[in-house]
Amino acid sequence: MDFGILVQICIGSIFINNFILSRYLGFCPFFGVSKKLSNAFGMGMAVIFVMALAATFTWIFNNYALKPQHLEYLQTIVFILVIAALVQLVEMVMLKFTPALYEALGIYLPLITTNCAILGAALINAGQNPYSGKDYTFVEALVNGVSSGLGFTLALLLMAGIRERLDLADIPRPLKGLPIAFISAGLMAIAFLGFSGLSFTK
Amino acid sequence: MEPLVVPIAFLGGIGFIFGLGLAAASKKLGSAVDPRVEKILGVLPGANCGACGYAGCSGFAKAVAAGTADAGGCVPGGAKAAHDIADILGISAAAKEPMMAVVHCKGGKKEAKERAIYEGIADCHAAVLTGNASKTCADGCLGLGTCVRACPFDALEINENGVAVVNADTCTGCGKCVAACPRKIIELIPRVHKIFIACNNHDRGGRVKQYCTVGCTACTLCVKATPSGAIAMENNIPRLDYARKENFITAAYKCPQKCFVDLVKARPKANIDTTCNGCGECVAVCPVDAIRGEKDQRHIIDKEKCIGCGVCLDTCPLHAIALWGGLAYAHQDDRTRRVRR
């Protein structure tokens, strides 16, 4: 296994292809849960957790069930099913065995079961790895899932920090609330565009 | 036909297996969630205001179902929620007395002087940290709306005069604004009382007059106008004891600075019926000298002067005095005016 490729995947999905700021996936929680830093942190942790789980299980499903049957065209619908069932199950297990963790992440889990960012991570894992030119291996898929979640959390936390300050700023009335948040998100996306200059190929 | 069978069977198969798996898991793992919690959650207002002392409505619902919280603990839900919860649990509940928030200040731009111009962050806490805000009065409302933002029910607003006012109709008495105000000038009072003092200045009278035209000068006239002793001076400001049997109408009327706010615009006036024998007891107690009449003749009440305090009712040995007319609320009048405009 090439360790360099894992690093590339990591940097790639946190900064270059950030889920929110360059792929434009998962905007719903990005604007919904970015009003307070503490909530944003909880949401981010939940997303990392679910993305890692989803990446793992959808990869297994894709490689051992869909591909042998040549049913790749069912990926989207099967992944939704797998992720939803998985999150439900995890929620139940959490509630039973680690109520403290459930209290911390529980309210966010149903929100992101069928979130497009989670599905996006699963579908990207089903495609080709741009850094190796081959299909994602299991470890690569897992790393991609976790680092996509990290990228999401990074964007969410930055946004929450900005919005906490925006709350106290003197903003023209028509722009108060969501409009200024959209503008800030646009500016953040432009800033993150700078990372697209990063290249690993020689 | 052939290419359809495999995907349909495949999808249907995993759907079936997942469904079965989840059903089995919920049977095995699903810790018994008390169905009453869901029901209680249904009758609560769902504002997650935290007035009950629990983290949101679900926390309160759990505590009530477990028996650790009082069924009447939801302040915004009031008597109805308490009653519904009691029905669900099969117990009887005493609802908490309905409360509402009042702002102990009415010295806005017109009345109260500013000693500086504040251009910082539009937030009361920030203003207090910046040299204790720009108002000369150290206890006045800053009008920057920290309480308005804290209110989960949109019951507060900063009026044109730059002072926070509570809408008595929508206020649920949750107390969020009380905690939010850095100057501690918002207080919860029992809803049945419509009179409160709109000042919290602890300065001496002469100094107050220099910077606020509606500030309390600690003249103690309200204390003297309340023989029941429900008003006591405390650090140069009268404290109204709402636990006592007292309506504070006379005190509000006597205040020379007009510090008191009466949410009732028109009260029922006293009326003496024909059984009056003219003993004159009521004339002696009337605080506004509204009762006239010859000795041993039927007395009459000047409706213009009567403030409806009801002191004469208890004094009359023949029970010949009654209050006539209904209540008209000042804030209801405000509301209709607002709609018309």
Side-chain angles (χ1 to χ4, degrees), chain B residues 31 57 113 149 166 177 217 303 321 333:
Chain B
S31 46
C57 293
K113 284 203 180 121
R149 288 187 288 278
V166 178
C177 50
T217 56
K303 295 286 189 292
I321 311 179
D333 198 54

Side-chain angles (χ1 to χ4, degrees), chain A residues 66 73 78 89 92-93 96 168, chain B residues 7 10-11 18 25-26 29 121:
Chain A
L66 295 181
Y73 59 91
V78 169
L89 186 70
M92 273 185 248
V93 173
K96 180 86 176 172
L168 297 173
Chain B
F10 185 80
L11 260 186
F18 282 174
S26 79
L29 295 171
I121 297 165

Side-chain angles (χ1 to χ4, degrees), chain A residues 61 65-66 69 71 73-74 77-78 81-82 84-85 88-89 92-93 95-97 103 167-169, chain B residues 3 6-8 10-11 14-15 18 21-22 25-31 33 62 121-123 149:
Chain A
F61 242 82
L66 295 181
Q69 301 290 325
L71 291 172
Y73 59 91
L74 284 178
I77 194 163
V78 169
L81 205 62
V82 171
Q88 281 287 312
L89 186 70
M92 273 185 248
V93 173
L95 186 58
K96 180 86 176 172
F97 297 107
E103 288 289 317
D167 264 358
L168 297 173
Chain B
V6 180
I8 288 174
F10 185 80
L11 260 186
I14 38 174
F18 282 174
L22 279 182
S26 79
K27 262 269 162 62
K28 198 139 199 206
L29 295 171
S31 46
V33 176
K62 266 181 215 158
I121 297 165
D123 180 86
R149 288 187 288 278

Side-chain angles (χ1 to χ4, degrees), chain B residues 269-284 286 288-306 312 316 320-322 324:
Chain B
K269 310 267 166 136
N271 186 69
I272 304 175
D273 65 26
T274 48
T275 50
C276 173
N277 64 2
C279 68
E281 294 276 329
C282 52
V283 180
C286 180
V288 291
D289 297 326
I291 308 177
R292 282 178 285 114
E294 297 287 314
K295 184 84 182 152
D296 299 329
Q297 296 281 311
R298 184 190 167 190
H299 283 43
I300 51 162
I301 291 173
D302 186 344
K303 295 286 189 292
E304 294 290 312
K305 280 187 178 173
C306 177
C312 49
C316 183
I321 311 179
W324 280 19

Side-chain angles (χ1 to χ4, degrees), chain A residues 27 84 107 111 143 164 176 193 200:
Chain A
F27 262 39
I107 48 168
L111 284 178
V143 169
E164 278 194 355
K176 260 194 176 138
L193 204 63
F200 297 107

